[in-house]
Amino acid sequence: MLEEEYTLDYFRSQGFERKVCKSCGAAFWTRDPEQELCGDAPCVTYNFIGNPVFKPHTVDEMREAFLSFFERHGHTRLERYPVAARWRDDIYLTIASIADFQPFVTSGVVPPPANPLTISQPCIRLNDLDSVGRSGRHLTLFEMMAHHAFNTPEERIYWKDETVALCDEFIASIGGDLSRISYKEHPWYGGGNAGASVEVLIGGLEVATLVFMNLGRQKTNQLPVNVDGELYYPMRLQIVDTGYGLERFVWASKGSPTIYDAVFPEMVSRLMRSAHLENLLDSPEFMKIMGLSARFAGVMDISGTNLYNLRKKVADAIGVPVERLERIVVPIEKIYSIADHTRCLAYMLGDCIVPSNVREGYLARLVLRRTLRMMNDLSMDEDLADLVEAQMQVVGDFSQDVDVVREIVASEEARYAGTLERGTRIVQKIARNYRAKSSRVPLAEVITLYDSHGIPPEMVKEVAAAEGAVVEIPDNFYSLIADIHSEAQKEAEGADPLAPYRERAATLPPTKKLYYELPCEVEFEAMVLDYFDGMAVLDQTLFYPEGGGQPSDTGTLVTSESMVRVEEAAKIGEVILHRVTGGPLKRGDRVKGMVDEERRLSLMRHHTATHVLLHAAKKVLGAHVHQAGAQKGSETSRLDVRHYRHITPDELRRIEIEANRMVMADLPVYICIEERTKAEQKYGFDLYQGGVPPGREIRTVQVGAEVQACAGTHVRATGEIGPIRVIGVEHIQDGVERLVFAAGLAAVYAIQRMADILGASADVVSVQPENLPATVTRFFSEWKEQKKEIERLRKSAVDLRMQHLAGEVVDGVRVVVGQVDAAPKELVALATSVADEGGVALFASADGNVKVVATSGVPAVNAADIVREVCSIIGGKGGGKPTLAQGAGSDVARLGQALEHGRSRILEALHG
């Protein structure tokens, strides 16, 4: 990027010099005329450890110092956004403060919530997950203190000079020596945008980044700028995007060996005691090791095999073998990781993320299970739920109730224990397969085991080694997994059914949406603007086009000459197409439209009932409940919700009662068109239950306390819904429960159907419906007793048959071969009784198709081989284990020959 982008009046007025680093070649600005290195790793090591560069601050003190400083300088303080980025459809977690305002603010679609603004935004990045605890500086969750300004040609807030000046002034306000600051030039690009950027360095540590976003990939009429080989064009917006690392500022203010000691002092001490490592806290050798490790890690890439190089460098510096060093530092690195991970989990679960195997839930489970693994390795005397609760109390201000968080953690611990139990058998089977092929277990297989079964790589390695198989796990395994799952995967797009109509629809004016203006009307008049390929476009319509999980309306269009049926309505941009059958229409025709009233009303009831039911589920199950999908119908509908366990029958009843209470309250349904930013500030990001709609304005639907961005049709008040009946609940995938329900007359019909079933069932046993449970219980008990008696009689029958099947004794082994026309279960019982006494049996039944069973109580005879050969003679197949095998065939005429062949093979095997 051009040098003039960084040649600021502020730098000149404050006596800065532009220099080029003698180590890395990067340009930087400094007040020190003698400085030769840029001040960044790996050119310099951390020199603030043991020598703080700011006045000591706690996390809370540093955050408040930053926010109040920028408030005094004309910025509006914003509350933090959730760590679950529900306003985005491309990422799952909030990864930077600017992510709060993407894509709609940064693209200029909507104004910012304030301008300029300041915020301290918790961010989660898991791409360096394996370095957490090891490097001394990496965190999964960190707070990005930031100030942002959004400049337009009409309104300039401030730009580069003012931003650098504010940075200098803030650092001075917390005791920083301005002569020690370096501003390193570092062009920034990402997400389709780019701009000049400077990294703020002090004490060898990068504490902030100041980005001046003014370029985009979208072509404009201005000259482009080459950034890393790509052309970027000047944007209309000029955005000040800053990021100050809260935890790094605190670390630099304390000069502690690691960032974890600075940010989590109480938690680290608690975990050390729990792991019985508290003696290390007073060890000078330990403090020296951790300080050196952080210093060297700051100038090294410690991913993969580089971790060993870090260990060796520290070991050489203090004169101890690498093995002894690892015995000291590895447990401590796990302590640091647990301190970090539990705070990350506090934010994830506190901000209502439900652990699962998809989306942000997958990432929460990844962090949670990694924490459990490390706690198990250290044999810690702590419950994970207690640690997460302690971190929540430190942070405060979460949407989720602590008791629910504890339940979620307990549920996840139980799942993890079950995974470990099942995982051993799964890994053993795979390991034996690769060992037989004399090959290593590949990384792709290990990733599949983790993704599909939740089996941790450490366990894969241990179990595989016990089976004699080799597997190598990269040190950055968890980072690789997190990278795969951190961004939303675009679903493979199928064929576009509207593709043939898009070009023509683009030439037509927008269709007036009468279904919004007059939602309770079912008749209207309109003019045909176009007709092609069975599609009619009107100037206005009451027909709702399919969208948001709501099917389209159906009905009729009547002209002076004909009547056609509207089978479906679809939306392309702002144009609504009506697929008609029964005859053509002509441009200019005046038509009378009639929407199928019962269908429309039922769809409206079900759509509003979906909102009501979601609110009821939140009230009963907890704030974490979020819509994972919905489909409205005229007879039944379904609502998928995120929940950490199966919904119980009692919870289901309470949800249904709460939903019907809202119906009986006859609450008004308010529908408004609101500016996106204002709606988000007013209602929060629970607005986006059914996805994130585009545009500056969004349509909000408020039903009681439930407010959603929604484009569907709704009743005017909840009383118009009629009864809501939950027909059933299904567990459709991990972390997602499906409620199937009916509303209005459809609910009445569902209740009547259930009453009919109940009545018919009562008639079968000749009792009143209210006596059915007791009668069924009695009948079931009697049936079980009769089943036991049948089993006893069957065994007696087997014993009697055995008395008539003497067989022969060959080399001391009883051999019984013959045709026994009995049920397959009885056949197996007969054969097994022979094998249990150390004999060999081969039985066949010719009742219908031929069934063959063989058992062997001696190693010399393989029952599976015998059955395969016998079944091949009678035109069938068979197989099984060496001790018990079964098969079948169709050629009854050759059964005698087949049994004789089987007998011969048994005798051969016994004779050796």
Side-chain angles (χ1 to χ4, degrees):
M1 191 164 277
L2 299 176
E3 181 180 334
E4 53 261 35
E5 289 284 343
Y6 298 96
T7 305
L8 308 183
D9 291 340
Y10 181 79
F11 282 152
R12 287 174 174 164
S13 67
Q14 295 297 311
F16 279 87
E17 293 183 29
R18 186 177 190 267
K19 297 196 169 192
V20 175
C21 179
K22 289 193 172 181
S23 176
C24 68
F28 65 97
W29 294 81
T30 177
R31 289 181 171 91
D32 181 0
E34 306 299 321
Q35 186 174 334
E36 296 183 336
L37 300 175
C38 63
D40 195 9
C43 303
V44 299
T45 59
Y46 295 158
N47 54 60
F48 68 90
I49 295 177
N51 182 30
V53 293
F54 307 130
K55 290 181 290 190
H57 285 71
T58 64
V59 169
D60 289 342
E61 289 167 349
M62 187 64 77
R63 183 192 303 112
E64 184 54 38
F66 180 89
L67 294 173
S68 57
F69 171 86
F70 280 94
E71 275 189 309
R72 291 194 301 273
H73 286 78
H75 295 66
T76 300
R77 182 192 297 216
L78 294 190
E79 294 298 319
R80 74 171 183 90
Y81 282 41
V83 296
R86 306 234 191 254
W87 61 95
R88 302 279 297 269
D89 56 11
D90 55 340
I91 57 175
Y92 300 133
L93 300 173
T94 308
I95 57 173
S97 62
I98 195 64
D100 297 347
F101 313 110
Q102 292 172 321
F104 300 109
V105 174
T106 54
S107 62
V109 173
V110 301
N115 197 13
L117 61 86
T118 185
I119 190 171
S120 188
Q121 176 60 46
C123 304
I124 297 177
R125 296 182 188 173
L126 303 180
N127 53 312
D128 290 315
L129 185 58
D130 297 280
S131 296
V132 174
R134 292 173 173 170
S135 69
R137 72 183 187 277
H138 282 97
L139 300 163
T140 55
L141 181 135
F142 62 95
E143 279 193 50
M144 185 178 285
M145 304 186 297
H147 61 98
H148 297 288
F150 302 87
N151 299 283
T152 65
E154 296 78 28
E155 183 181 20
R156 184 184 186 279
I157 307 300
Y158 59 79
W159 194 228
K160 297 176 184 176
D161 286 279
E162 298 92 330
T163 302
V164 176
L166 286 167
C167 182
D168 259 4
E169 191 175 341
F170 170 68
I171 288 176
S173 74
I174 58 172
D177 181 353
L178 297 185
S179 67
R180 298 181 62 183
I181 299 176
S182 301
Y183 289 96
K184 180 183 175 183
E185 296 179 10
H186 187 269
W188 174 89
Y189 57 92
N193 296 112
S197 163
V198 290
E199 295 174 348
V200 185
L201 306 155
I202 186 168
L205 180 69
E206 180 188 344
V207 292
T209 304
L210 315 178
V211 177
F212 305 100
M213 191 191 302
N214 64 341
L215 301 171
R217 294 299 308 279
Q218 188 171 349
K219 194 170 183 178
T220 66
N221 56 5
Q222 299 188 57
L223 291 175
V225 176
N226 188 307
V227 181
D228 198 42
E230 298 283 354
L231 294 181
Y232 288 79
Y233 297 84
M235 302 190 306
R236 185 175 183 278
L237 273 178
Q238 292 187 329
I239 302 170
V240 174
D241 172 20
T242 68
Y244 291 65
L246 169 61
E247 291 82 2
R248 289 193 169 208
F249 269 91
V250 173
W251 186 19
S253 82
K254 294 188 176 182
S256 57
T258 73
I259 199 168
Y260 318 110
D261 299 297
V263 176
F264 312 112
E266 295 85 4
M267 181 58 73
V268 167
S269 296
R270 174 176 175 172
L271 294 172
M272 295 280 270
R273 289 192 300 273
S274 176
H276 311 292
L277 298 170
E278 62 268 28
N279 59 306
L280 291 177
L281 291 171
D282 300 320
S283 166
E285 181 187 37
F286 164 70
M287 299 307 288
K288 184 178 180 182
I289 287 172
M290 300 315 294
L292 282 170
S293 184
R295 271 202 177 95
F296 290 140
V299 297
M300 294 174 66
D301 171 15
I302 65 165
S303 61
T305 56
N306 295 328
L307 180 62
Y308 176 79
N309 298 333
L310 170 64
R311 303 268 199 250
K312 191 169 187 312
K313 199 165 186 178
V314 176
D316 291 343
I318 61 173
V320 299
V322 173
E323 294 74 18
R324 170 165 156 65
L325 178 79
E326 287 191 327
R327 284 198 299 273
I328 296 173
V329 301
V330 170
I332 306 308
E333 289 171 349
K334 289 178 179 177
I335 293 286
Y336 288 153
S337 294
I338 294 167
D340 164 84
H341 288 13
T342 49
R343 183 176 69 153
C344 183
L345 288 169
Y347 274 96
M348 284 178 148
L349 304 182
D351 278 0
C352 299
I353 293 176
V354 177
S356 68
N357 55 13
V358 294
R359 298 172 54 91
E360 65 272 15
Y362 180 98
L363 300 172
R365 180 169 287 169
L366 174 68
V367 176
L368 193 149
R369 291 191 170 183
R370 191 167 189 267
T371 309
L372 286 172
R373 180 79 184 182
M374 290 186 289
M375 291 178 68
N376 291 338
D377 290 345
L378 295 174
S379 302
M380 295 187 70
D381 300 330
E382 285 277 11
D383 287 331
L384 178 56
D386 291 338
L387 298 177
V388 174
E389 181 177 349
Q391 296 281 28
M392 290 180 72
Q393 289 171 348
V394 170
V395 177
D397 189 30
F398 286 113
S399 301
Q400 185 61 282
D401 184 76
V402 170
D403 290 338
V404 175
V405 169
R406 295 186 68 91
E407 277 189 45
I408 291 173
V409 173
S411 173
E412 285 299 304
E413 286 181 312
R415 286 174 187 270
Y416 183 58
T419 294
L420 296 182
E421 189 177 328
R422 293 189 305 274
T424 299
R425 295 190 297 273
I426 295 170
V427 177
Q428 283 174 337
K429 184 177 179 181
I430 290 172
R432 288 167 189 159
N433 181 35
Y434 282 100
R435 184 192 63 195
K437 294 189 290 187
S438 300
S439 62
R440 296 172 181 266
V441 180
L443 177 60
E445 188 79 69
V446 181
I447 291 175
T448 299
L449 285 169
Y450 187 86
D451 266 354
S452 301
H453 302 284
I455 302 171
E458 300 88 350
M459 179 181 177
V460 175
K461 191 170 185 177
E462 290 168 11
V463 176
E467 294 295 327
V470 178
V471 55
E472 291 185 4
I473 310 295
D475 283 324
N476 63 338
F477 176 86
Y478 287 103
S479 301
L480 292 172
I481 290 292
D483 269 346
I484 293 170
H485 292 273
S486 288
E487 293 186 358
Q489 303 297 313
K490 288 191 176 179
E491 295 181 10
E493 294 184 4
D496 178 9
L498 299 177
Y501 317 118
R502 290 190 180 279
E503 185 175 348
R504 188 149 175 177
T507 65
L508 299 170
T511 308
K512 188 175 182 181
K513 304 176 183 66
L514 296 179
Y515 51 81
Y516 283 156
E517 296 177 16
L518 305 166
C520 296
E521 297 294 322
V522 292
E523 295 186 6
F524 68 102
E525 293 186 352
M527 177 182 289
V528 178
L529 299 182
D530 202 355
Y531 177 81
F532 54 95
D533 300 331
M535 292 289 189
V537 178
L538 312 178
D539 61 340
Q540 59 183 6
T541 186
L542 272 177
F543 286 94
Y544 178 81
E546 182 172 1
Q550 179 175 328
S552 77
D553 288 329
T554 57
T556 54
L557 294 176
V558 181
T559 71
S560 58
E561 300 176 355
S562 64
M563 181 173 74
V564 297
R565 179 77 185 160
V566 176
E567 303 289 356
E568 177 188 16
K571 190 167 177 277
I572 297 179
E574 295 301 312
V575 175
I576 296 169
L577 281 66
H578 305 73
R579 185 168 63 83
V580 300
T581 57
L585 296 172
K586 299 192 297 291
R587 290 183 190 175
D589 276 352
R590 298 294 304 179
V591 296
K592 180 177 182 179
M594 290 174 284
V595 175
D596 290 338
E597 186 172 7
E598 283 301 317
R599 175 183 168 84
R600 157 65 78 81
L601 186 55
S602 186
L603 287 170
M604 289 167 66
R605 286 169 173 156
H606 278 89
H607 202 147
T608 309
T610 303
H611 291 223
V612 168
L613 202 60
L614 180 64
H615 182 77
K618 287 181 187 176
K619 193 164 183 179
V620 172
L621 304 176
H624 60 278
V625 168
H626 192 85
Q627 181 177 309
Q631 183 62 49
K632 296 85 182 178
S634 56
E635 295 182 1
T636 63
S637 293
R638 67 173 188 260
L639 169 66
D640 299 340
V641 298
R642 302 194 187 283
H643 188 48
Y644 56 91
R645 55 175 167 76
H646 295 337
I647 297 174
T648 66
D650 178 64
E651 288 170 335
L652 201 59
R653 281 192 293 272
R654 288 162 55 201
I655 290 169
E656 188 177 70
I657 289 169
E658 182 59 36
N660 282 286
R661 277 193 179 129
M662 290 180 68
V663 169
M664 289 186 291
D666 198 24
L667 303 170
V669 176
Y670 297 108
I671 298 176
C672 301
I673 302 297
E674 300 187 59
E675 187 184 278
R676 176 185 297 275
T677 303
K678 290 180 179 177
E680 289 175 348
Q681 289 176 313
K682 193 190 304 184
Y683 305 118
F685 299 104
D686 268 359
L687 271 173
Y688 304 124
Q689 295 289 337
V692 184
R696 181 186 181 91
E697 295 178 327
I698 57 176
R699 183 175 183 262
T700 61
V701 176
Q702 181 173 357
V703 186
E706 183 67 27
V707 186
Q708 296 182 30
C710 179
T713 57
H714 291 271
V715 296
R716 291 165 295 191
T718 57
E720 294 181 3
I721 297 172
I724 296 175
R725 176 65 174 169
V726 179
I727 299 169
V729 62
E730 303 169 19
H731 179 71
I732 62 166
Q733 71 178 57
D734 189 28
V736 178
E737 299 285 289
R738 171 168 291 170
L739 298 171
V740 181
F741 68 96
L745 280 175
V748 174
Y749 297 149
I751 293 167
Q752 289 176 338
R753 280 195 299 272
M754 188 55 65
D756 290 344
I757 292 170
L758 187 63
S761 301
D763 288 344
V764 169
V765 291
S766 302
V767 298
Q768 292 299 313
E770 60 267 25
N771 296 326
L772 191 59
T775 305
V776 170
T777 300
R778 178 168 57 83
F779 280 8
F780 185 67
S781 298
E782 291 173 358
W783 174 79
K784 285 196 296 185
E785 290 300 320
Q786 289 171 353
K787 189 178 179 185
K788 289 178 185 177
E789 179 63 16
I790 291 169
E791 194 61 39
R792 186 188 66 76
L793 292 171
R794 181 179 284 126
K795 189 176 183 306
S796 297
V798 169
D799 292 341
L800 286 171
R801 283 180 181 270
M802 285 304 299
Q803 293 174 14
H804 296 89
L805 293 171
E808 57 190 305
V809 177
V810 181
D811 293 342
V813 177
R814 185 183 177 206
V815 178
V816 186
V817 178
Q819 179 175 337
V820 182
D821 292 328
K825 189 174 181 181
E826 188 177 340
L827 216 59
V828 172
L830 281 168
T832 302
S833 67
V834 176
D836 288 346
E837 295 174 358
V840 178
L842 171 62
F843 295 145
S845 169
D847 187 12
N849 282 345
V850 181
K851 303 288 189 303
V852 179
V853 176
T855 58
S856 173
V858 293
V861 179
N862 187 314
D865 292 343
I866 301 298
V867 165
R868 272 192 289 270
E869 292 189 30
V870 168
C871 288
S872 68
I873 293 172
I874 57 174
K877 292 182 179 179
K881 299 178 181 178
T883 56
L884 171 63
Q886 299 181 65
S890 57
D891 193 347
V892 179
R894 301 187 68 187
L895 178 56
Q897 177 190 342
L899 288 173
E900 184 55 38
H901 175 81
R903 177 179 174 277
S904 299
R905 293 288 292 112
I906 292 169
L907 297 183
E908 286 174 19
L910 289 173
H911 289 318

